[in-house]
Amino acid sequence: MSQPSSSITPPLVRTASARIPTVYGAFFLHHYNDARDAKEHLALVMGDVRGRSDALVRVHSECMTGDTFGSLRCDCGEQLHMAMQRIASAAQGVIIYLRQEGRGIGLAQKLRAYNLQDEGYDTVDANLMLGHQADEREYWAAADILRDLGVESIQLLTNNPAKIEQLRGYGIQINGRVPLQPSMHADNAAYLQTKVARMRHLLQLPPAPPTLAGAALTPDLTARISQLQERSLHHFARTHSPHVTISYAQSLDGSLSVEPGAPLALSGATSMTMTHALRAAHDAILVGVGTVLADNPRLTVRLVAGANPQPVVLDSALRTPLDAALLNHPRGLWILTTERSSSDARHALAARGAEIVVLPPDESGRVSLSAALAALYARGVRSVMVEGGAHVLESFVASHLAHYAVITLAPRLVGGLHAYHAGSNGALPRLAQVAYTPAGEDLIVWGEPVWGQPAVDTPALTPEPI
Ligand SMILES: NC(=O)c1ccc[n+]([C@@H]2O[C@H](COP(=O)([O-])OP(=O)(O)OC[C@H]3O[C@@H](n4cnc5c(N)ncnc54)[C@H](OP(=O)(O)O)[C@@H]3O)[C@@H](O)[C@H]2O)c1
């Protein structure tokens, strides 16, 4: 780390500023020229940070592939958006955008390093083989920008201890670190593991995505889950709304249970393990209060190594019992309700640690699903797995808010509770891009619900006269 010699004129000059409205709220973008590296650096500022202590600050180094094109090879784009969201929720903070692409080696060299990584070298060795250091970034410009903005002290949004040490070395008072936990999937797993193992990054990672501890999953099942995870991230980046996967088990005759309110174990050991891996691949897991009352589920990830998704219950009138297992969930329970719920019930459930979110009703007086998804988005949820029960699945499908379906078919005939009915409010979809994977005795059906005209090779529902 070498600080260039200073000159009489300040090396860093603020040149222009403008208001920038974003999906996360309005920021001010300040443009700087730095005479030392002849680069244009940026500061994206929300709120009044001059004289502020503990300002939220992200010092982000440019990543054209991740920030602009949404590359999944790294976690840069995801961290940038998480930081903008965190700053917007706090209504104050700064993102300093330093023009030092590819940990300082430049875009062309970074692409060459990617090719070496595809040959099996990790991100550190690839840089070294190209004649660079593992990390060539410098933070003097960030320190000068913070001084120019008049920030007193900061909370730094980072997982990188080297960044904290360097900024402190340049005289910045850092009072705390706010971690940014990225999602892990097949394309970035090795990169994130190298960051932890060789660059001291402070990340909590599962051993591998997803590592199995229950029944053995076939490579086909794990690959499908990885692909779904990537699809969710693409959807979120494109639409700025959580991706919704509906997932449930049904008998061959389409029953979810014998009768409403009665639990029934339909999944075999392998499909149950697959369901836990699928949970770990989502940010949130959502059920209706009917499932809480019938099954008293825990909705945790127990059969594979992986993070628990945030549990969410749709409960318009707050019927969730105070002894529900979900109230002991390690992440706490979010209950989405309406004005129909009493303040007594809200206080009692809040006292048990639940977060009660009051939302507008739909036309039937139940929680509006679009309001529910907006509330989850505002809390940073990028993907949600809807695991039942019958009414909630039907609502998501009838409102065209299900983006992907993973349905376990168990080889049984039950003659019980069905999710979908001819009178469903809105046309029912067919599945496109369908795949079938065996899971023990069960069959998993994967597909994208599509509404409208059937594909050419799909048989017509109205039979031809014979
Ligand atoms: N086979 C499987 O994979 C599987 C998975 C889960 C559950 N199940 C079974 O399914 C059964 C439970 O199904 P269920 O239909 O009774 O319960 P559910 O779908 O879990 O919950 C339905 C309740 O959620 C509330 N809700 C709030 N907003 C809603 C909205 N926008 N749309 C729909 N519901 C909304 C409503 O109650 P309020 O009006 O009071 O809010 C509604 O009655 C149980 O027998 C359970 O064992 C099976």
Side-chain angles (χ1 to χ4, degrees):
M1 176 167 62
S2 61
Q3 172 129 41
S5 56
S6 57
S7 54
I8 308 242
T9 46
L12 181 96
V13 180
R14 195 196 295 197
T15 35
S17 304
R19 190 179 66 87
I20 303 287
T22 74
V23 287
Y24 305 110
F27 288 79
F28 247 88
L29 186 65
H30 302 298
H31 175 278
Y32 293 88
N33 275 330
D34 194 321
R36 292 164 291 195
D37 54 12
K39 286 194 174 146
E40 300 173 304
H41 300 297
L42 301 164
L44 193 64
V45 179
M46 181 174 277
D48 186 5
V49 294
R50 183 159 296 281
R52 181 180 274 277
S53 303
D54 285 339
L56 281 180
V57 172
R58 163 91 188 144
V59 176
H60 192 87
S61 297
E62 178 176 23
C63 173
M64 174 82 77
T65 47
D67 299 342
T68 309
F69 299 122
S71 163
L72 297 173
R73 291 189 83 120
C74 61
D75 54 342
C76 302
E78 197 181 358
Q79 289 201 61
L80 179 61
H81 285 274
M82 279 195 274
M84 288 177 75
Q85 267 176 300
R86 293 294 287 263
I87 286 170
S89 337
Q92 61 85 10
V94 182
I95 291 176
I96 296 174
Y97 197 81
L98 299 176
R99 314 304 291 281
Q100 39 188 359
E101 175 77 45
R103 293 206 301 276
I105 68 174
L107 183 55
Q109 286 292 76
K110 182 171 90 169
L111 298 183
R112 291 185 188 107
Y114 280 167
N115 289 330
L116 290 171
Q117 287 170 44
D118 286 344
E119 289 172 23
Y121 299 98
D122 70 25
T123 177
V124 170
D125 285 337
N127 279 22
L128 298 177
M129 286 169 76
L130 290 169
H132 296 286
Q133 295 169 38
D135 190 345
E136 298 188 354
R137 288 173 293 178
E138 300 276 8
Y139 297 105
W140 65 71
D144 285 350
I145 288 173
L146 287 172
R147 276 188 274 274
D148 178 69
L149 294 172
V151 172
E152 278 291 320
S153 63
I154 69 171
Q155 297 273 342
L156 190 64
L157 291 100
T158 188
N159 302 321
N160 182 358
K163 202 180 282 184
I164 299 173
E165 289 154 13
Q166 284 207 39
L167 283 169
R168 283 199 171 128
Y170 291 125
I172 299 300
Q173 190 183 327
I174 303 178
N175 289 343
R177 179 181 80 90
V178 180
L180 294 171
Q181 184 68 32
S183 47
M184 188 169 170
H185 46 78
D187 282 318
N188 72 1
Y191 172 79
L192 294 180
Q193 279 159 345
T194 304
K195 272 183 156 184
V196 172
R198 302 191 66 184
M199 303 176 80
R200 299 188 291 135
H201 275 225
L202 305 161
L203 281 172
Q204 305 255 312
L205 298 179
T211 301
L212 309 179
L217 291 192
T218 59
D220 202 9
L221 283 169
T222 41
R224 291 250 160 245
I225 293 170
S226 284
Q227 284 163 12
L228 175 55
Q229 212 172 2
E230 282 183 28
R231 178 196 154 94
S232 304
L233 291 174
H234 283 304
H235 171 99
F236 178 78
R238 208 179 57 246
T239 63
H240 302 290
S241 173
H243 178 274
V244 176
T245 306
I246 54 169
S247 178
Y248 55 96
Q250 65 168 51
S251 62
L252 289 180
D253 59 307
S255 304
L256 269 64
S257 65
V258 180
E259 58 187 37
L264 173 67
L266 278 168
S267 305
T270 310
S271 50
M272 187 56 91
T273 306
M274 187 281 302
T275 297
H276 280 231
L278 203 58
R279 287 178 182 174
H282 287 79
D283 287 344
I285 182 161
L286 180 148
V287 294
V289 64
T291 297
V292 176
L293 292 167
D295 299 355
N296 195 19
R298 284 182 281 171
L299 302 182
T300 45
V301 175
R302 302 182 297 280
L303 301 179
V304 300
N308 284 319
Q310 171 64 50
V312 183
V313 172
L314 295 183
D315 185 1
S316 332
L318 287 187
R319 295 188 284 142
T320 300
L322 292 176
D323 60 354
L326 277 173
L327 290 166
N328 299 322
H329 192 285
R331 292 188 63 159
L333 177 63
W334 296 350
I335 306 183
L336 310 187
T337 189
T338 65
E339 291 292 351
R340 272 169 60 201
S341 56
S342 70
S343 63
D344 282 357
R346 288 183 206 173
H347 283 124
L349 285 163
R352 289 282 285 108
E355 182 176 341
I356 310 294
V357 184
V358 182
L359 296 175
D362 63 11
E363 61 286 351
S364 323
R366 299 173 311 185
V367 180
S368 150
L369 295 188
S370 44
L373 290 179
L376 295 184
Y377 172 72
R379 284 164 178 73
V381 169
R382 294 158 302 175
S383 58
V384 55
M385 172 168 166
V386 175
E387 213 180 288
H391 284 94
V392 164
L393 291 166
E394 183 171 40
S395 288
F396 269 94
V397 167
S399 343
H400 297 207
L401 287 173
H403 305 118
Y404 202 76
V406 183
I407 302 168
T408 297
L409 284 184
R412 294 180 58 177
L413 296 170
V414 171
L417 171 71
H418 285 215
Y420 313 111
H421 301 91
S424 290
N425 179 21
L428 293 176
R430 65 190 170 85
L431 296 190
Q433 298 175 34
V434 191
Y436 302 92
T437 36
E441 290 195 334
D442 300 336
L443 184 67
I444 316 289
V445 183
W446 312 76
E448 181 184 331
V450 287
W451 290 262
Q453 290 298 310
V456 182
D457 64 348
T458 305
L461 291 177
T462 319
E464 297 281 322
I466 39 174

